[in-house]
Amino acid sequence: MSDPYSNMKLVDENGVRLDGRTLDELRPIRIEAGVLNRADGSCYLEWGNNKVLVGVYGPREVHPKHMQNPLRGIVQARYNMASFSVSERKRPGPDRRAVEISKITSEALEAVVLVDQFPRTTVDVYIEVLEASAGTRCAGLTAASVALADAGIPMKDMVVAIASGKIGDHLALDIGRAEDNFGQADVPFGVIPRTGEIVLLQMDGHLTKEEFETVIEMNMRAAMKVYELQKAALVRRYSAFAGLAPGEESEPAAPAAAPVATGPMAAAPVAELGHPEGFKEPLAPPPVDAKVEAVLVEGEAAPEVEGEEVEEPNGDDEASSGGGY
Ligand code: CDP
Protein backbone atom coordinates (compact mmCIF):
# COMPACT_ATOMS: atom_id res chain seq x y z
CA MET A 1 0.00 0.00 0.00
CA SER A 2 1.35 3.46 -0.87
CA ASP A 3 2.16 5.91 1.91
CA PRO A 4 -0.82 8.32 2.21
CA TYR A 5 1.52 11.07 3.42
CA SER A 6 4.18 10.74 0.73
CA ASN A 7 2.65 13.66 -1.19
CA MET A 8 2.14 15.86 1.87
CA LYS A 9 3.36 19.34 0.99
CA LEU A 10 5.34 20.57 3.99
CA VAL A 11 6.47 23.78 2.23
CA ASP A 12 4.40 25.66 -0.37
CA GLU A 13 5.69 27.46 -3.46
CA ASN A 14 6.15 30.66 -1.39
CA GLY A 15 8.37 28.91 1.13
CA VAL A 16 5.62 28.87 3.77
CA ARG A 17 5.30 25.86 6.06
CA LEU A 18 2.15 24.06 7.24
CA ASP A 19 1.98 26.15 10.43
CA GLY A 20 2.49 29.42 8.52
CA ARG A 21 6.17 29.85 9.37
CA THR A 22 8.89 30.71 6.91
CA LEU A 23 11.83 28.34 6.64
CA ASP A 24 14.00 30.37 9.04
CA GLU A 25 11.34 31.13 11.63
CA LEU A 26 11.22 29.84 15.20
CA ARG A 27 8.02 28.70 16.87
CA PRO A 28 6.87 31.08 19.65
CA ILE A 29 8.87 30.52 22.85
CA ARG A 30 7.99 31.53 26.39
CA ILE A 31 10.22 30.88 29.42
CA GLU A 32 9.45 31.44 33.12
CA ALA A 33 11.98 30.77 35.88
CA GLY A 34 11.17 29.93 39.51
CA VAL A 35 7.67 28.56 39.04
CA LEU A 36 7.83 25.85 41.76
CA ASN A 37 8.14 26.61 45.47
CA ARG A 38 9.43 23.25 46.69
CA ALA A 39 12.23 22.66 44.18
CA ASP A 40 15.60 24.41 44.56
CA GLY A 41 15.19 25.76 41.05
CA SER A 42 12.57 25.46 38.34
CA CYS A 43 11.45 26.54 34.92
CA TYR A 44 8.33 26.37 32.79
CA LEU A 45 8.84 26.59 29.04
CA GLU A 46 6.47 26.67 26.09
CA TRP A 47 7.96 26.14 22.66
CA GLY A 48 5.31 26.07 19.98
CA ASN A 49 2.85 23.51 21.31
CA ASN A 50 5.43 21.91 23.61
CA LYS A 51 4.92 22.50 27.31
CA VAL A 52 7.73 21.49 29.66
CA LEU A 53 8.18 21.85 33.41
CA VAL A 54 11.56 21.32 35.12
CA GLY A 55 12.42 21.04 38.82
CA VAL A 56 16.00 20.90 40.13
CA TYR A 57 17.32 19.65 43.49
CA GLY A 58 20.86 19.77 44.76
CA PRO A 59 23.73 19.49 44.93
CA ARG A 60 22.92 16.76 47.48
CA GLU A 61 24.57 13.51 48.55
CA VAL A 62 24.46 10.72 45.95
CA HIS A 63 22.50 7.59 46.79
CA PRO A 64 23.29 4.76 46.28
CA LYS A 65 26.76 5.57 47.56
CA HIS A 66 28.57 3.46 44.95
CA MET A 67 27.52 6.11 42.41
CA GLN A 68 29.43 8.80 44.28
CA ASN A 69 32.47 10.24 42.54
CA PRO A 70 35.07 11.43 45.09
CA LEU A 71 36.51 13.85 42.54
CA ARG A 72 33.39 15.54 41.21
CA GLY A 73 29.64 15.80 41.35
CA ILE A 74 27.24 14.27 38.84
CA VAL A 75 24.17 15.61 37.06
CA GLN A 76 21.25 13.20 36.80
CA ALA A 77 18.52 14.35 34.44
CA ARG A 78 15.28 12.39 34.17
CA TYR A 79 13.16 13.11 31.09
CA ASN A 80 9.56 11.99 31.43
CA MET A 81 6.59 12.35 29.11
CA ALA A 82 3.22 12.62 30.83
CA SER A 83 0.63 10.11 29.64
CA PHE A 84 -1.51 13.00 28.43
CA SER A 85 1.32 14.76 26.57
CA VAL A 86 0.64 13.05 23.25
CA SER A 87 -2.54 12.23 21.33
CA GLU A 88 -2.19 8.45 21.83
CA ARG A 89 -2.03 7.97 25.62
CA LYS A 90 1.58 7.22 26.50
CA ARG A 91 2.15 4.30 28.84
CA PRO A 92 3.51 5.77 32.10
CA GLY A 93 7.08 5.08 33.11
CA PRO A 94 10.45 5.16 31.38
CA ASP A 95 10.88 3.60 27.94
CA ARG A 96 14.04 3.30 25.82
CA ARG A 97 13.49 6.74 24.31
CA ALA A 98 13.19 8.41 27.74
CA VAL A 99 16.34 6.61 28.96
CA GLU A 100 18.24 7.83 25.90
CA ILE A 101 17.02 11.43 26.24
CA SER A 102 17.76 11.44 29.99
CA LYS A 103 21.32 10.28 29.25
CA ILE A 104 22.11 12.84 26.55
CA THR A 105 20.53 15.60 28.64
CA SER A 106 22.62 14.67 31.70
CA GLU A 107 25.79 14.67 29.60
CA ALA A 108 25.00 18.04 28.03
CA LEU A 109 24.30 19.62 31.43
CA GLU A 110 27.45 18.14 32.98
CA ALA A 111 29.38 20.14 30.39
CA VAL A 112 28.22 23.43 31.97
CA VAL A 113 27.74 22.61 35.67
CA LEU A 114 30.99 23.14 37.63
CA VAL A 115 30.87 19.59 38.97
CA ASP A 116 34.42 19.62 40.34
CA GLN A 117 33.27 22.15 42.95
CA PHE A 118 31.08 19.62 44.79
CA PRO A 119 32.44 16.05 44.78
CA ARG A 120 30.28 13.10 45.92
CA THR A 121 27.08 15.00 45.20
CA THR A 122 24.36 14.90 42.59
CA VAL A 123 22.25 17.58 41.00
CA ASP A 124 18.90 16.03 40.10
CA VAL A 125 16.98 17.51 37.18
CA TYR A 126 13.38 16.38 36.62
CA ILE A 127 12.03 17.21 33.18
CA GLU A 128 8.31 16.69 32.78
CA VAL A 129 6.89 17.01 29.28
CA LEU A 130 3.28 18.06 29.74
CA GLU A 131 2.51 18.47 26.07
CA ALA A 132 4.68 17.22 23.20
CA SER A 133 4.88 18.56 19.70
CA ALA A 134 8.38 17.73 18.36
CA GLY A 135 11.62 19.03 19.79
CA THR A 136 10.85 18.06 23.39
CA ARG A 137 14.43 16.94 24.14
CA CYS A 138 15.63 20.39 23.08
CA ALA A 139 12.87 22.18 24.98
CA GLY A 140 13.67 20.07 28.07
CA LEU A 141 17.40 20.78 27.92
CA THR A 142 16.82 24.51 27.38
CA ALA A 143 14.41 24.65 30.33
CA ALA A 144 16.70 22.52 32.52
CA SER A 145 19.51 25.05 32.07
CA VAL A 146 17.28 27.86 33.30
CA ALA A 147 16.12 25.76 36.27
CA LEU A 148 19.76 25.04 37.23
CA ALA A 149 20.62 28.73 37.07
CA ASP A 150 17.48 29.50 39.09
CA ALA A 151 18.73 27.05 41.75
CA GLY A 152 22.04 28.95 41.93
CA ILE A 153 24.03 25.92 40.78
CA PRO A 154 27.54 27.08 39.76
CA MET A 155 27.71 26.90 35.96
CA LYS A 156 29.98 28.27 33.27
CA ASP A 157 26.94 29.07 31.10
CA MET A 158 23.58 27.63 30.15
CA VAL A 159 22.91 25.18 27.32
CA VAL A 160 20.53 26.13 24.52
CA ALA A 161 19.09 23.37 22.35
CA ILE A 162 17.15 23.42 19.10
CA ALA A 163 16.42 20.98 16.26
CA SER A 164 16.42 22.01 12.61
CA GLY A 165 16.44 19.80 9.54
CA LYS A 166 15.14 19.16 6.05
CA ILE A 167 11.51 19.10 4.94
CA GLY A 168 10.10 18.91 1.41
CA ASP A 169 13.64 19.29 0.04
CA HIS A 170 14.15 22.57 1.98
CA LEU A 171 16.33 23.18 5.01
CA ALA A 172 14.12 24.46 7.83
CA LEU A 173 14.64 25.90 11.29
CA ASP A 174 12.97 24.44 14.38
CA ILE A 175 11.20 21.34 13.05
CA GLY A 176 7.53 21.05 14.04
CA ARG A 177 5.32 18.02 14.64
CA ALA A 178 4.24 17.14 11.08
CA GLU A 179 7.69 18.07 9.79
CA ASP A 180 9.28 15.69 12.27
CA ASN A 181 6.99 12.88 11.12
CA PHE A 182 7.08 13.45 7.37
CA GLY A 183 10.28 15.43 6.80
CA GLN A 184 13.62 14.14 5.53
CA ALA A 185 16.00 14.97 8.38
CA ASP A 186 16.07 16.29 11.93
CA VAL A 187 19.21 17.49 13.77
CA PRO A 188 18.76 18.10 17.52
CA PHE A 189 21.63 20.27 18.69
CA GLY A 190 22.73 21.80 22.01
CA VAL A 191 25.35 24.51 22.40
CA ILE A 192 27.09 26.50 25.13
CA PRO A 193 26.56 30.02 23.75
CA ARG A 194 29.53 31.61 25.47
CA THR A 195 32.07 29.20 23.98
CA GLY A 196 30.24 27.82 20.95
CA GLU A 197 30.97 24.28 22.24
CA ILE A 198 28.44 21.74 20.96
CA VAL A 199 27.25 19.48 23.78
CA LEU A 200 24.39 17.67 22.03
CA LEU A 201 24.30 16.53 18.43
CA GLN A 202 22.04 13.88 16.96
CA MET A 203 20.67 13.27 13.48
CA ASP A 204 17.71 11.39 12.15
CA GLY A 205 17.54 11.12 8.32
CA HIS A 206 19.96 12.06 5.56
CA LEU A 207 21.75 15.30 4.70
CA THR A 208 24.68 16.11 2.47
CA LYS A 209 27.78 17.52 4.17
CA GLU A 210 26.89 21.03 2.91
CA GLU A 211 23.29 20.71 4.11
CA PHE A 212 24.48 19.47 7.48
CA GLU A 213 26.80 22.46 7.86
CA THR A 214 23.99 24.87 6.95
CA VAL A 215 21.65 23.24 9.46
CA ILE A 216 24.28 23.59 12.19
CA GLU A 217 24.69 27.26 11.30
CA MET A 218 20.91 27.78 11.45
CA ASN A 219 20.75 26.05 14.82
CA MET A 220 23.66 28.08 16.14
CA ARG A 221 22.13 31.40 15.12
CA ALA A 222 18.70 30.57 16.51
CA ALA A 223 20.26 29.31 19.75
CA MET A 224 21.58 32.82 20.42
CA LYS A 225 18.01 34.15 20.26
CA VAL A 226 16.74 31.51 22.64
CA TYR A 227 19.68 32.27 24.96
CA GLU A 228 18.43 35.85 25.25
CA LEU A 229 15.01 34.53 26.32
CA GLN A 230 16.62 32.25 28.93
CA LYS A 231 18.51 35.17 30.43
CA ALA A 232 15.46 37.44 30.29
CA ALA A 233 13.49 34.84 32.27
CA LEU A 234 16.14 34.83 35.02
CA VAL A 235 16.38 38.61 35.07
CA ARG A 236 12.58 38.87 35.45
CA ARG A 237 12.64 36.28 38.22
CA TYR A 238 15.26 38.12 40.27
CA SER A 239 14.59 41.74 39.39
CA ALA A 240 11.28 41.41 41.24
CA PHE A 241 13.37 41.26 44.44
CA ALA A 242 15.99 43.84 43.51
CA GLY A 243 16.46 46.60 46.04
CA LEU A 244 14.67 44.81 48.90
CA ALA A 245 16.60 44.30 52.13
CA PRO A 246 16.51 40.67 53.41
CA GLY A 247 13.18 40.12 55.18
CA GLU A 248 11.72 43.40 53.95
CA GLU A 249 7.95 43.17 53.94
CA SER A 250 7.07 44.64 50.59
CA GLU A 251 5.52 42.26 48.13
CA PRO A 252 7.73 41.68 45.12
CA ALA A 253 6.46 43.37 42.00
CA ALA A 254 4.54 41.14 39.64
CA PRO A 255 6.94 39.85 37.00
CA ALA A 256 6.64 41.44 33.61
CA ALA A 257 5.09 39.36 30.84
CA ALA A 258 7.55 37.02 29.19
CA PRO A 259 8.76 38.12 25.80
CA VAL A 260 7.97 35.66 23.07
CA ALA A 261 10.39 34.99 20.24
CA THR A 262 8.67 34.92 16.89
CA GLY A 263 9.39 36.11 13.40
CA PRO A 264 12.11 35.29 10.94
CA MET A 265 15.58 34.87 12.34
CA ALA A 266 17.81 37.91 12.19
CA ALA A 267 20.47 37.46 9.57
CA ALA A 268 23.25 38.66 11.88
CA PRO A 269 26.26 36.34 12.04
CA VAL A 270 26.64 34.42 15.28
CA ALA A 271 29.69 36.40 16.34
CA GLU A 272 27.65 39.62 16.41
CA LEU A 273 24.98 38.29 18.71
CA GLY A 274 26.83 39.02 21.94
CA HIS A 275 27.51 36.87 25.01
CA PRO A 276 26.81 39.04 28.05
CA GLU A 277 28.51 38.03 31.27
CA GLY A 278 25.25 36.92 32.86
CA PHE A 279 25.97 34.05 35.23
CA LYS A 280 29.25 34.63 37.02
CA GLU A 281 27.66 35.84 40.25
CA PRO A 282 25.47 33.52 42.35
CA LEU A 283 21.88 34.69 42.28
CA ALA A 284 20.39 36.00 45.52
CA PRO A 285 17.54 33.94 47.03
CA PRO A 286 14.16 35.67 47.38
CA PRO A 287 13.33 37.01 50.86
CA VAL A 288 11.41 34.64 53.16
CA ASP A 289 7.76 35.61 53.45
CA ALA A 290 7.59 37.95 56.48
CA LYS A 291 4.58 36.17 58.04
CA VAL A 292 6.17 32.74 57.89
CA GLU A 293 9.44 34.17 59.18
CA ALA A 294 7.66 35.68 62.22
CA VAL A 295 6.16 32.28 63.07
CA LEU A 296 9.54 30.58 62.76
CA VAL A 297 11.15 33.14 65.05
CA GLU A 298 8.48 33.25 67.75
CA GLY A 299 7.39 29.60 67.60
CA GLU A 300 3.72 30.67 67.70
CA ALA A 301 0.90 30.01 65.32
CA ALA A 302 0.43 32.75 62.78
CA PRO A 303 -2.64 34.92 63.48
CA GLU A 304 -5.63 34.33 61.24
CA VAL A 305 -6.11 37.27 58.95
CA GLU A 306 -9.66 37.71 57.76
CA GLY A 307 -10.12 36.89 54.12
CA GLU A 308 -6.54 35.78 53.79
CA GLU A 309 -5.11 32.28 53.90
CA VAL A 310 -2.20 31.92 56.30
CA GLU A 311 0.31 29.37 55.17
CA GLU A 312 1.24 26.67 57.68
CA PRO A 313 4.99 26.47 57.99
CA ASN A 314 6.37 22.98 57.72
CA GLY A 315 9.74 21.29 57.63
CA ASP A 316 10.29 21.31 53.91
CA ASP A 317 8.96 24.77 53.29
CA GLU A 318 12.28 26.57 53.43
CA ALA A 319 13.54 29.12 50.95
CA SER A 320 12.22 27.95 47.61
CA SER A 321 15.30 28.73 45.71
CA GLY A 322 18.86 29.82 45.89
CA GLY A 323 20.65 26.49 46.03
CA GLY A 324 20.31 23.83 48.70
CA TYR A 325 23.94 23.50 49.49
O1 CDP B 1 10.40 15.31 21.04
P1 CDP B 1 11.65 15.07 20.24
O2 CDP B 1 11.55 15.65 18.85
O3 CDP B 1 12.88 15.50 20.96
O4 CDP B 1 11.82 13.50 20.11
P2 CDP B 1 11.27 12.48 18.99
O5 CDP B 1 11.54 11.11 19.52
O6 CDP B 1 11.82 12.85 17.67
O7 CDP B 1 9.71 12.67 19.01
C1 CDP B 1 9.08 13.59 18.17
C2 CDP B 1 7.68 13.79 18.62
O8 CDP B 1 6.95 12.58 18.47
C3 CDP B 1 7.50 14.14 20.08
O9 CDP B 1 7.79 15.48 20.36
C4 CDP B 1 6.05 13.82 20.26
O10 CDP B 1 5.24 14.87 19.77
C5 CDP B 1 5.88 12.60 19.39
N1 CDP B 1 5.87 11.36 20.21
C6 CDP B 1 4.66 10.73 20.43
O11 CDP B 1 3.64 11.18 19.94
N2 CDP B 1 4.62 9.62 21.23
C7 CDP B 1 5.74 9.12 21.79
N3 CDP B 1 5.67 8.03 22.57
C8 CDP B 1 6.97 9.74 21.57
C9 CDP B 1 7.01 10.88 20.76
Side-chain angles (χ1 to χ4, degrees):
M1 204 173 87
S2 67
D3 177 359
Y5 297 104
S6 57
N7 293 325
M8 182 180 256
K9 206 163 191 183
L10 295 173
V11 184
D12 74 11
E13 39 295 320
N14 300 315
V16 177
R17 296 151 77 172
L18 286 178
D19 58 5
R21 284 186 292 154
T22 57
L23 289 165
D24 62 351
E25 191 171 345
L26 279 168
R27 289 175 286 182
I29 299 172
R30 188 164 78 89
I31 307 178
E32 296 289 346
V35 293
L36 301 173
N37 287 326
R38 313 260 175 211
D40 291 330
S42 58
C43 175
Y44 173 70
L45 179 146
E46 289 181 0
W47 188 317
N49 291 328
N50 290 310
K51 294 189 173 73
V52 179
L53 186 61
V54 178
V56 162
Y57 294 86
R60 56 186 181 182
E61 199 180 349
V62 181
H63 289 289
K65 282 201 167 179
H66 69 81
M67 285 178 64
Q68 286 184 3
N69 186 327
L71 301 178
R72 63 176 190 87
I74 57 175
V75 177
Q76 297 187 90
R78 194 203 65 176
Y79 167 101
N80 181 55
M81 270 182 134
S83 294
F84 50 78
S85 65
V86 284
S87 36
E88 291 267 324
R89 173 187 174 272
K90 187 201 160 281
R91 202 164 158 230
D95 50 17
R96 283 177 58 159
R97 178 177 170 276
V99 170
E100 172 218 326
I101 296 177
S102 299
K103 182 175 189 296
I104 56 161
T105 304
S106 301
E107 288 169 359
L109 293 173
E110 274 195 7
V112 284
V113 172
L114 301 180
V115 285
D116 47 350
Q117 289 192 8
F118 31 88
R120 298 184 193 281
T121 67
T122 176
V123 176
D124 295 325
V125 180
Y126 298 99
I127 300 168
E128 299 294 328
V129 178
L130 308 177
E131 230 165 80
S133 185
T136 57
R137 72 194 64 207
C138 294
L141 179 52
T142 301
S145 299
V146 174
L148 285 167
D150 179 46
I153 305 291
M155 296 158 79
K156 62 179 174 190
D157 197 1
M158 290 187 284
V159 176
V160 191
I162 178 165
S164 300
K166 187 174 175 183
I167 54 168
D169 291 329
H170 299 272
L171 299 183
L173 184 74
D174 187 18
I175 297 295
R177 182 79 184 92
E179 297 168 345
D180 184 90
N181 274 4
F182 310 116
Q184 292 145 294
D186 177 27
V187 183
F189 157 102
V191 65
I192 302 175
R194 194 176 286 180
T195 61
E197 189 186 341
I198 295 172
V199 292
L200 165 69
L201 186 57
Q202 299 184 294
M203 184 160 107
D204 185 15
H206 299 280
L207 292 175
T208 64
K209 182 171 174 290
E210 290 70 31
E211 286 173 337
F212 177 77
E213 283 168 1
T214 306
V215 164
I216 295 295
E217 214 170 279
M218 291 166 81
N219 276 341
M220 190 73 90
R221 198 174 290 152
M224 296 305 164
K225 273 211 153 182
V226 180
Y227 186 46
E228 295 304 319
L229 296 178
Q230 287 177 310
K231 287 186 296 182
L234 290 164
V235 167
R236 271 197 317 283
R237 159 85 165 130
Y238 284 94
S239 61
F241 302 104
L244 291 184
E248 203 172 338
E249 276 195 41
S250 341
E251 286 293 314
V260 175
T262 50
M265 294 303 306
V270 171
E272 284 176 28
L273 285 160
H275 309 148
E277 305 282 275
F279 298 100
K280 284 189 173 162
E281 299 297 325
L283 299 164
V288 177
D289 179 283
K291 233 179 304 171
V292 174
E293 192 176 54
V295 174
L296 292 176
V297 170
E298 292 165 18
E300 291 171 12
E304 284 286 334
V305 180
E306 219 179 328
E308 203 182 310
E309 267 206 328
V310 179
E311 203 179 329
E312 282 292 327
N314 68 34
D316 58 17
D317 214 356
E318 14 180 89
S320 61
S321 191
Y325 56 96

